[in-house]
Amino acid sequence: MLSRSLLRLATTPMRRGVRGVDFVRNRFTNKGTAFTLEERRHLNIEGMLPPNVETLEDQVERHWEQFRRFNAPINKYQHLRNVMSTNVTLYYAFVIEHLKESLPIIYTPTVGEACTRYGNLYTNDHGLYIDIENIGNIRKLIRNSRKENVEVIVLTDGSRILGLGDLGVNGIGISIGKTSLYVAAGGISPGRVLPVVMDCGTDNLTLRNNPLYLGTRKRRCDDATFYKLLDEFMEAAKEEWPTAVIQFEDFSNNHCFDMMERYQNKYRCFNDDIQGTGAVVSAGLLSALSQIGATSLADQRIVFFGAGSAATGVAESIADVTAAHFKTTKDEMHKVTYFVDSKGLVTTTRGDTLAKHKVPWARADIPAEDYKKLTSLEEVVEYVKPTVLIGLSAAGGAFTKEIVEHMAANCEHPIIFPLSNPSSKAEIQPSDAYKWSNGKAIVASGSPFPAINLNGRILQPSQGNNLYIFPGVGLGCIIAQPTCIPQEVLVAAALRLAQLPSQADKEAGLLYPPIEQVRAVSTEIAVACIRKMQELGVATVELPDNTPELRKIVKKRMWVPVYAAESHYLSLDLLDSPADQSGSKGLLKEANFRI
Ligand code: NAD
């Protein structure tokens, strides 16, 4: 917490180099107009601020007005990034207070636009850049960051950002977005999260030709170089920040599965695109199945549109979660599941060499002759008659009116999940799914979409937002310090999430609790994960083995955005006068606060 770190600062030799003005300039200690008159006198900053002293709530209100005045989402994004760079407490107080409105800005869809143009929008950031030119030197780069006690690292190589493809070093935008959500939704302390991007070059020619692109202007490196850099980072990060959990973010298919095999048992890490998405979608599907009264998968037919890392990861997760929930085996899921990729139904008989991750899901019961008639989604829908259709293809608008009408004609409540991000890549607009199914569809999307009024009924699509899962998983890991994060932990998170919608949520057709409750959700997810880590014997911290006690510990551990009390500032031993300050050498560094 900020207050404790300030106290610590006040008792360290660092104070001799600290000037009052540095507390305004440091984004962790700045209170802006909330500095009291006493604090202003003590810090020698009178005159630097307007006379009226405000509360954090007043400041949030002002920023809300300013935020609303920006029309373009990207301008809202830049506004919030400025607040983040100058006053961390205010930034998180704002985001938590206005979570619903901030989320589409700091995360999908606007973060996608920000990543696309990151070099053009760049002013500064607080991330770590590692690159192939520095192989052998990564520990130095880590130390240069002067970050101590890092607890959450979000690492990307920018190779597959949302559904936008290879964005190279611009991918840091996604790591920044995710780390700030760890703070806002998971209560991780803001000084203990670190966005990291691995610059391995980019195959995106438009970016390489953009004069304002900030990454290395080379093609992506080969696999040997990629793993050399990543191995070095993983090892150095574990040694420098032994309590940290590492989240892999938006790595392309050709690496993400192999990375999990390589690191999952050795480091405290997980892949949010595969495992986080898997958990949140599984939870949504369990909720939907419970809403239609299904007691097993036997009567379901599930079609996945898209067979990339996200889709097969989701399918694996649904298989794990439904097996645990319905007390069956994963085979049940395989029996009822069909994948469609750009060549049509994924079968063992279609004559091509399937990527490794597709093989377990390829249908072996489709004769080669039949496959020829199953090369489009429309044909597969007609053939399979799905009850569940999940889109993870990044092919916007692929679920047509005919497809929805066909599903609605064959089942009472078609379950339709257009999960591709950003919104422009969603396979269907939820409003169309409702209209074309006469309001019968149960819909969850990847990006946020508004409610619609259909013949007097308000229909609100759920958002299968990974935010329900990853902050809680990270929080649980920080508290229990597992040696690694087995898949069972993510399954436990999904099972818990599926239990969280209230009766009122269910009656409104929602598959998840409202996003505004995400901090409470994170608490529950963290507790469920810790219980599972204890059961699996991977937790290394001695903790109570009962849920109520754990819940108290988790809640207490969660950071809340409040300014440090006046007494903390007044107890600081500073350089004596403004004249002394001009000669100060000791500019405050974030790390000195050890937040
Ligand atoms: P990917 O590129 O690895 O896979 C895309 C898959 O879709 C491939 O199998 C491809 O063959 C198939 N495909 C693409 N266009 C097609 C078309 N016109 N017809 C048939 N098949 C087509 O991508 P990925 O990593 O699996 O991600 C896919 C999407 O999932 C992205 O938009 C991403 O944003 C989204 N995603 C959403 C969430 C979430 O909602 N929580 C999480 C992770 C990923």
Side-chain angles (χ1 to χ4, degrees), residues 160 162 253 277 305-310 341-342 392-393 419-421 466:
R160 200 240 65 209
L162 302 169
N253 270 344
T277 307
F305 183 63
S309 58
D341 67 9
S342 50
L392 281 157
S393 62
L419 295 175
S420 288
N421 293 322
N466 296 27

Side-chain angles (χ1 to χ4, degrees), residues 5 20-21 31 48 51 67 78 90 172 181 228 241 249 325 343 382 395 397 405 436 527 548 570 579 583:
S5 52
V21 68
K31 290 184 174 187
M48 288 180 65
F67 179 86
Q78 282 202 283
L90 173 56
I172 186 109
L181 294 177
K228 209 168 170 195
W241 300 307
E249 177 72 20
H325 180 77
K343 292 183 187 153
E382 206 164 305
E405 286 176 348
W436 297 337
V527 171
L570 299 188

Side-chain angles (χ1 to χ4, degrees), residues 55-86:
T55 61
L56 183 56
E57 291 70 31
D58 295 331
Q59 295 174 326
V60 168
E61 183 56 33
R62 172 175 302 102
H63 279 282
W64 176 234
E65 282 216 26
Q66 294 176 358
F67 179 86
R68 281 190 309 179
R69 235 175 280 128
F70 291 111
N71 285 327
I74 197 70
N75 293 340
K76 291 182 197 270
Y77 175 88
Q78 282 202 283
H79 173 71
L80 288 186
R81 284 290 303 277
N82 285 340
V83 181
M84 191 197 218
S85 298
T86 50

